[in-house]
Amino acid sequence: MKANMLAATLTLAVGVTILPISATAASHDPAATTYIDVAPTTNNVYASDVSVSARSAAAIDVQTGRFLYEKNGDDKMLIASLTKIITCIVAIESGVDLDSETTVSNRAAGKEGSSIYLKVGEKQKIRDLLYAVMLRSGNDAATAVAEACGQGSEAKFVEMMNAKVQDLGLTGTHFANPHGLDAKDHYSTAHDMAVLTAYALRNPTFAQIVATQVKTIPYPGEDYARKLYNKNKMLTRYEGADGVKTGYTKAAGRCLVSSATVDGRQVAVVTLDAPGDWVDHQRLLDYGFEAYTNFPVAKEDEVVKTLPLEDGIEPQVDVKVGVEFTYPVRKNEQDKLRTEMKLDDHLQAPVVGGEKVGEMKIYYEDKLLGVVPLVAAKDVREKTYWERFKQFFSGMIRN
């Protein structure tokens, strides 16, 4: 296909039919939806809508990254074992085989605080240790994971954690260890932890671990296995709950990240220093699902244009939306959504169904939310030499 891009901008009406949200596609897929972070810069978003005990809180739509609520969201605070969220996702992304075994060091086995009582010299799969990290908040397990995935060095792993922070653009966060014990230069914000959590939950391995209520792992040297019960009570207290992590130190107070999926839409909530965290999360999850509704700005397979096609067996081809794009909005926000299309102005046969021929940009007012591919609706082959000759000859006769 030959194509010259025409910057033809067309504004479409936004439909209000409610559809379940689809999974985020990989950015390298030509038919993928690309969501662009449009997180607000203010640290209070609808903070007066929900009363919570937390000093700092945030709620985020996991797929799109839209902040639904923030209270003092940019305040830098201690986060205790919420640290283990980044420990887990960095380990998963480290490239180390999670089913390989690591030997527990003296440093890991002796780590103070919450523990699953690892023994020096004990061998465990990294994957099983990640369950111990996220379900039981084992500081010993977190240290063992850091050493296994950080080329034998906890310090190297912490560097990897902070590199991920920079990659995600989290300017209010810095880590000093992989477990979350109070330390100088170890802090984050509710806003940053919400972004990090939404990112991590898009990883299937991470999502599976944090949704697990009970996990059994080996206990070498004993005649029974370790049975790990998840400390996150939201998994049984809230319908649809599927994560994420508890945390507590005397200095940090009660910290919690939860998530839930209802009708295909996932919301994550972060509270820091929250005496009534379980109630806070119930209220904020309810708010996230009730105050916002997913609207399909672009419906998959919807025909949006017909383009002329040169040398095709058919003179034109329909253009359709390649993948659905939905966005959470409040009741008074639907008219703030708009779309713009940029299409190839000249198509040359043959074209293949599903082949990208343009793109649709989605805006909330003037903020670009994301980009959706526009694709050819079907295959259209090129005319053969004989078909071109017959067309030319028919034209000669008519003239």
Side-chain angles (χ1 to χ4, degrees):
M1 181 190 76
K2 299 176 183 177
N4 296 317
M5 297 302 293
L6 173 66
T9 301
L10 305 174
T11 302
L12 303 179
V14 177
V16 294
T17 305
I18 299 174
L19 293 178
I21 203 159
S22 59
T24 302
S27 60
H28 62 271
D29 183 345
T33 300
T34 303
Y35 287 97
I36 297 172
D37 182 16
V38 289
T41 55
T42 177
N43 70 344
N44 285 286
V45 179
Y46 303 116
S48 61
D49 284 9
V50 184
S51 176
V52 295
S53 70
R55 279 182 54 200
S56 180
I60 191 171
D61 181 84
V62 170
Q63 183 188 18
T64 65
R66 179 175 185 179
F67 274 83
L68 313 176
Y69 174 96
E70 279 192 271
K71 173 188 175 182
N72 302 325
D74 291 337
D75 289 5
K76 294 179 181 179
M77 299 175 63
L78 296 172
I79 60 168
S81 285
L82 300 191
T83 301
K84 295 181 173 84
I85 293 172
I86 194 166
T87 299
C88 186
I89 191 62
V90 168
I92 291 169
E93 294 180 346
S94 68
V96 175
D97 182 1
L98 299 185
D99 291 316
S100 64
E101 288 189 336
T102 187
T103 302
V104 176
S105 69
N106 182 68
R107 178 182 174 85
K111 185 60 62 178
E112 67 269 23
S114 56
S115 173
I116 65 162
Y117 306 104
L118 292 172
K119 301 175 182 178
V120 178
E122 169 179 345
K123 294 184 182 298
Q124 287 283 353
K125 288 183 179 180
I126 297 172
R127 187 184 303 275
D128 287 341
L129 288 174
L130 288 178
Y131 278 93
V133 168
M134 300 307 289
L135 273 63
R136 296 304 302 168
S137 204
N139 292 342
D140 50 354
T143 304
V145 166
E147 292 176 344
C149 298
Q151 302 171 19
S153 168
E154 179 179 328
K156 174 65 176 177
F157 187 81
V158 172
E159 290 178 7
M160 295 163 62
M161 294 165 65
N162 286 314
K164 175 56 68 175
V165 165
Q166 292 182 350
D167 288 345
L168 294 175
L170 308 183
T171 58
T173 299
H174 188 273
F175 296 110
N177 61 61
H179 40 71
L181 290 175
D182 300 332
K184 183 181 178 181
D185 294 329
H186 190 96
Y187 54 83
S188 188
T189 69
H191 179 103
D192 284 6
M193 290 306 299
V195 174
L196 173 62
T197 299
Y199 172 83
L201 283 169
R202 297 180 194 124
N203 181 288
T205 300
F206 180 92
Q208 180 180 32
I209 291 172
V210 298
T212 301
Q213 294 191 38
V214 184
K215 176 71 174 179
T216 300
I217 70 171
Y219 202 158
E222 304 293 339
D223 57 3
Y224 56 92
R226 290 183 175 95
K227 201 164 189 179
L228 309 175
Y229 292 90
N230 201 320
K231 291 184 177 183
N232 182 9
K233 295 180 182 179
M234 291 301 293
L235 292 176
T236 56
R237 288 191 175 196
Y238 195 90
E239 186 174 356
D242 46 21
V244 176
K245 187 71 189 73
T246 61
Y248 173 81
T249 67
K250 186 176 181 179
R254 294 179 63 86
C255 301
L256 179 63
V257 176
S258 71
S259 64
T261 302
V262 176
D263 294 332
R265 178 167 162 244
Q266 190 173 30
V267 171
V269 171
V270 179
T271 55
L272 304 178
D273 192 7
D277 51 4
W278 306 120
V279 175
D280 287 354
H281 281 249
Q282 172 81 39
R283 290 176 178 173
L284 287 173
L285 286 170
D286 284 349
Y287 175 81
F289 290 117
E290 293 170 4
Y292 294 81
T293 305
N294 267 346
F295 286 91
V297 187
K299 299 179 182 180
E300 187 172 4
D301 293 332
E302 179 183 10
V303 175
V304 294
K305 189 73 173 176
T306 299
L307 293 178
L309 181 62
E310 185 174 341
D311 293 332
I313 190 65
E314 298 180 29
Q316 58 190 25
V317 63
D318 287 340
V319 175
K320 66 179 184 178
V321 175
V323 64
E324 178 180 294
F325 188 106
T326 60
Y327 197 72
V329 294
R330 299 164 74 88
K331 290 181 180 180
N332 61 345
E333 293 180 329
Q334 297 94 304
D335 59 351
K336 297 181 180 180
L337 294 170
R338 62 185 179 86
T339 65
E340 293 180 356
M341 291 194 302
K342 188 177 183 181
L343 291 163
D344 297 346
D345 66 339
H346 180 80
L347 295 183
Q348 173 77 42
V351 296
V352 178
E355 181 178 358
K356 184 177 177 181
V357 296
E359 63 184 22
M360 178 185 290
K361 292 184 176 181
I362 316 294
Y363 291 87
Y364 179 91
E365 295 181 329
D366 293 329
K367 295 178 181 178
L368 180 62
L369 299 179
V371 182
V372 171
L374 299 177
V375 301
K378 64 178 181 179
D379 296 346
V380 181
R381 68 174 175 83
E382 185 178 8
K383 292 176 183 176
T384 65
Y385 175 81
W386 177 244
E387 288 167 335
R388 292 184 190 183
F389 176 78
K390 287 198 297 182
Q391 182 184 35
F392 175 77
F393 187 73
S394 297
M396 290 282 292
I397 294 176
R398 286 197 298 271
N399 291 334

